Amino acid sequence: MSDRSSLSHQPNDLSERELEIIELVAKGLTNQEIGETLMISKRTVDNHVSNVFTKTGAKNRVALLNWAMDHGKICRDGFNCCNLPPDEE
C-alpha cells in the first residue's frame, strides 16, 4: 500500500488556519517563516503542522502536499486548480 492511498482523511476536518498553513508549506516556507508571515510564534506553527499531519495522515511535508493536491487544497502549475474556490476579491 502506498503512502498516498493511506491518506484518506477528509479535508473538512481542517480549520481555516490549518489550510493557510498548508498553503504556506506548499510555498516552501519553514515553520519559522510561516510564523513570521502569519505573525504567530514558531511553536504555534509547529503545533498547527503537527495537527495537520495527524488530521491528514501525512507523515512528512511531501506526503502532506500530495494529500493537499489530491483533495484540491493547493494548486501547482495549473494542476488541480479547478477544485479550488474562486478568489474572492
Side-chain angles (χ1 to χ4, degrees):
M1 181 186 292
S2 73
D3 278 345
R4 288 184 96 178
S5 65
S6 66
L7 302 179
S8 62
H9 295 37
Q10 295 300 314
N12 299 343
D13 295 340
L14 298 169
S15 69
E16 289 299 315
R17 179 61 93 183
E18 290 166 341
L19 292 170
E20 193 172 17
I21 297 285
I22 291 171
E23 290 175 10
L24 295 172
V25 167
K27 290 181 180 180
L29 274 63
T30 65
N31 287 5
Q32 181 67 41
E33 292 167 332
I34 292 170
E36 291 168 4
T37 300
L38 299 177
M39 294 185 283
I40 59 178
S41 74
K42 178 190 173 293
R43 184 171 176 154
T44 300
V45 176
D46 293 344
N47 288 335
H48 282 305
V49 171
S50 178
N51 290 340
V52 167
F53 284 166
T54 298
K55 288 181 178 183
T56 63
K59 295 182 180 175
N60 57 53
R61 287 176 182 244
V62 172
L64 174 61
L65 297 183
N66 284 332
W67 179 93
M69 286 182 65
D70 289 347
H71 290 84
K73 296 301 174 189
I74 60 171
C75 174
R76 274 317 228 191
D77 299 325
F79 178 75
N80 243 359
C81 292
C82 60
N83 293 334
L84 299 175
D87 288 338
E88 296 179 15
E89 296 180 11

